[in-house]
Amino acid sequence: MTTYRFKTPVSEEDVRKLRVGDIIYVSGTLVTARDEAHKRALEYYEEGKKLPVDFEGIALYHCGPIVKKVNDEWIAVAAGPTTSTRMDLFEAEFIEKFRVRIIIGKGGMGERTTEACKKYGAVYCAFIGGAAVLAANAIKRIKGVEWLDLGMPEALWIFEVENFGPLTVTIDSHGNNLHREVMSRVEANRDTIYKKLKLKG
Amino acid sequence: MSLVQKIEDTVVNLLRLAVTRLPKDVKDALKTAYEKEVDETAKTQLKAILDNIMLAEKTERPMCQDTGVIIFYVKVGNEFKELGKLPEILRTATIRATKEIPLRPNAVHPISQKNSGDNTGRYIPYINWEIIQGDFLEITAFPKGGGSENMSRLGMLKPGEGIDGMKKFVIDTVLHAGGQPCPPVILGVGIGGGADIAMKLAKKALLRPITERHEDPEIAKLEQELLEAVNESGIGPMGLGGRTTALGVNIEYAHRHPASYPVGVVVQCWAARRASARIYSDGAVEYLTHEVGEK
């Protein structure tokens, strides 16, 4: 387990160094995207339209923040991660088309995303569910917002962050998936627990 | 200041305390979990949770962006003045707290899908009433997050499955949930009564500090046994593996129908938010879960 500090843009070479269990802190540009933004970005790609944000090498954050406007400037009040599995529908394609290198969320992602991370060189990192203040504290400035018509949580929020983390690499670019590993160990523990409680399986 | 105003201010205060400061028993349990943990990944998660809690206290900001659906538990003395005004006071206080703290608006109409914007709506905030003797009022603010609530389950077991069935149901609920409810969790278990009673008791059990065991030694033993069993699962903090999957298991029970064995499990995330105060008819206020200086 190694700790890394990255500044965006992050290269494929950078993320290929990472292994499941490593801790990273990200500085630079972080862009939020949930279901709707993923969907629209891929539609834009199909139609050959230019995206308002270049995703290559930056960090993508599954998050619907609480923001408020103070004197014409947006401020992040709370910005914890949302459940990533919902984005499994889009993420493999998103990685392939836009070459995003770091994906941040909670709860892990599935096989297709794991495969895409391996093939194109990306990692998925888990951030602590609910750690809203810790996250907001690392957001130094909101550089901009795009697609606000999708609503506050679904818009693309462009954050400038400093030492955003700790982020635990749970899907690396070598085919490892910590969520899958833990859940298979947990499944193996089921019998031990049943036995301990003298239960029939 | 009128008693009505005093109650309203106290309730706003309770909601603020609840979302910005965890009760001591939960905070201590998270610290102990961190000290006991040997897995590096799990340690990192717990450290970040503790840092987040500290930062929330310091900056008076909600510790989690999901400030939950607003639930109150109210014990009211038969001689307490202003009893009839309480529902309105709790509603007004909820709207004020949503703006002032702020809380995330979390009350959505289930058919039109429209968010009311102020955390109130039909039956929301939800109020659990209990009538007691005396001239005081005890209010607990209990904002409950959605992610962990989604992992809660009801089992209508066969009486023949009995206690073993109940244990298996609790374990299966935790294993099925994995990392989704943001562990380390606290489990509220309600046994008996009927479908609604078991779920209500399961949630009510979460009001008891995790340092206190049930008064019935048999139930207390079950709580300890289930806690140890759950922590052998290896799910760990945020489901990334580790020793601490649950900080506590609290059980409550009611007598059951001979033909039913209802078991309710309510899952509570690490942000186990609750704050209580006692308000007397003469306006005196006593905070029960948090240390509060004179305001």
Side-chain angles (χ1 to χ4, degrees), chain B:
Chain B
M1 191 191 288
S2 72
L3 182 58
V4 169
Q5 191 60 47
K6 188 91 196 177
I7 300 169
E8 186 189 307
D9 289 354
T10 306
V11 174
V12 173
N13 231 348
L14 285 174
L15 284 167
R16 179 176 288 116
L17 286 170
V19 299
T20 58
R21 287 162 56 182
L22 277 185
K24 190 173 182 302
D25 59 301
V26 181
K27 225 184 335 183
D28 286 349
L30 284 165
K31 280 182 199 154
T32 308
Y34 172 70
E35 283 154 16
K36 268 194 345 206
E37 189 56 69
V38 287
D39 183 285
E40 281 302 317
T41 300
K43 243 182 144 62
T44 306
Q45 313 306 311
L46 289 165
K47 175 75 170 44
I49 289 173
L50 290 169
D51 287 348
N52 185 69
I53 291 169
M54 236 169 53
L55 213 53
E57 275 187 22
K58 214 175 83 188
T59 57
E60 286 208 319
R61 281 155 93 167
M63 65 188 82
C64 174
Q65 72 278 3
D66 180 3
T67 47
V69 78
I70 308 299
I71 301 169
F72 293 107
Y73 287 85
V74 180
K75 281 187 199 171
V76 59
N78 58 333
E79 291 163 40
F80 186 77
K81 285 188 273 182
E82 314 291 15
L83 172 57
K85 290 187 187 149
L86 281 175
E88 197 45 46
I89 297 173
L90 292 171
R91 220 180 162 78
T92 312
T94 300
I95 296 171
R96 250 184 72 195
T98 302
K99 239 186 256 165
E100 288 176 19
I101 298 173
L103 305 175
R104 189 170 80 179
N106 275 344
V108 179
H109 190 289
I111 309 301
S112 73
Q113 317 302 341
K114 210 173 156 312
N115 192 320
S116 73
D118 63 7
N119 275 315
T120 71
R122 192 171 162 88
Y123 289 115
I124 300 293
Y126 192 81
I127 308 168
N128 295 278
W129 297 99
E130 197 180 321
I131 309 292
I132 51 172
Q133 282 210 331
D135 72 338
F136 63 85
L137 168 72
E138 230 174 81
I139 303 179
T140 299
F142 189 80
K144 176 74 168 61
S148 59
E149 188 74 357
N150 288 347
M151 296 296 118
S152 301
R153 293 208 299 184
L154 169 73
M156 298 302 286
L157 311 185
K158 293 184 180 74
E161 297 173 273
I163 298 175
D164 279 357
M166 179 275 290
K167 290 181 187 172
K168 188 162 179 289
F169 185 73
V170 173
I171 298 300
D172 290 351
T173 300
V174 175
L175 297 197
H176 175 255
Q180 291 177 86
C182 291
V185 296
I186 299 172
L187 299 173
V189 181
I191 311 170
D196 58 331
I197 302 169
M199 288 314 289
K200 260 195 185 285
L201 290 177
K203 193 166 267 182
K204 196 180 171 194
L206 293 170
L207 300 185
R208 177 164 28 108
I210 47 178
T211 41
E212 276 173 34
R213 296 279 51 82
H214 195 280
E215 58 196 16
D216 180 332
E218 278 299 308
I219 303 285
K221 215 174 95 190
L222 273 173
E223 290 177 338
Q224 193 54 37
E225 189 185 6
L226 282 172
L227 176 63
E228 283 167 21
V230 164
N231 283 333
E232 294 220 354
S233 69
I235 293 169
M238 293 315 298
L240 301 180
R243 285 187 172 178
T244 311
T245 300
L247 301 172
V249 176
N250 287 358
I251 303 177
E252 202 39 83
Y253 73 94
H255 281 62
R256 62 174 178 85
H257 185 281
S260 333
Y261 200 106
V263 179
V265 180
V266 172
V267 185
Q268 167 69 61
C269 60
W270 61 260
R273 293 155 285 186
R274 57 180 154 81
S276 314
R278 188 180 275 197
I279 306 167
Y280 294 89
S281 279
D282 66 2
V285 179
E286 207 180 305
Y287 286 91
L288 305 173
T289 43
H290 292 72
E291 275 177 38
V292 177
E294 270 305 303
K295 283 245 168 185

Side-chain angles (χ1 to χ4, degrees), chain A residues 3-138:
Chain A
T3 301
Y4 294 90
R5 285 175 201 275
F6 283 130
K7 187 151 180 21
T8 63
V10 179
S11 68
E12 179 173 352
E13 199 191 339
D14 286 334
V15 299
R16 290 279 181 202
K17 284 190 285 200
L18 297 169
R19 297 279 164 173
V20 151
D22 284 345
I23 303 293
I24 66 173
Y25 289 86
V26 175
S27 297
T29 307
L30 198 74
V31 178
T32 68
R34 294 172 37 130
D35 317 50
E36 295 296 326
H38 275 80
K39 206 170 148 212
R40 186 180 284 183
L42 291 171
E43 280 165 10
Y44 267 45
Y45 184 86
E46 288 300 313
E47 295 161 10
K49 284 205 259 180
K50 191 175 165 6
L51 293 183
V53 176
D54 183 5
F55 286 100
E56 184 159 354
I58 63 161
L60 179 74
Y61 186 24
H62 297 154
C63 164
I66 305 180
V67 291
K68 65 176 180 189
K69 211 169 199 176
V70 181
N71 301 331
D72 267 2
E73 204 175 322
W74 289 105
I75 294 187
V77 178
T82 192
T83 303
S84 298
T85 46
R86 295 197 317 271
M87 269 59 80
D88 258 330
L89 279 174
F90 315 103
E91 212 68 277
E93 248 186 298
F94 201 94
I95 294 169
E96 181 192 344
K97 310 285 192 243
F98 307 123
R99 298 299 154 111
V100 54
R101 297 290 174 206
I102 299 173
I103 298 156
I104 302 163
K106 72 160 176 159
M109 299 191 81
E111 288 313 309
R112 277 189 63 219
T113 306
T114 309
E115 269 308 303
C117 283
K118 187 176 170 187
K119 193 163 171 194
Y120 303 105
V123 291
Y124 172 86
C125 301
F127 188 53
I128 294 87
V133 197
L134 205 58
N137 208 42

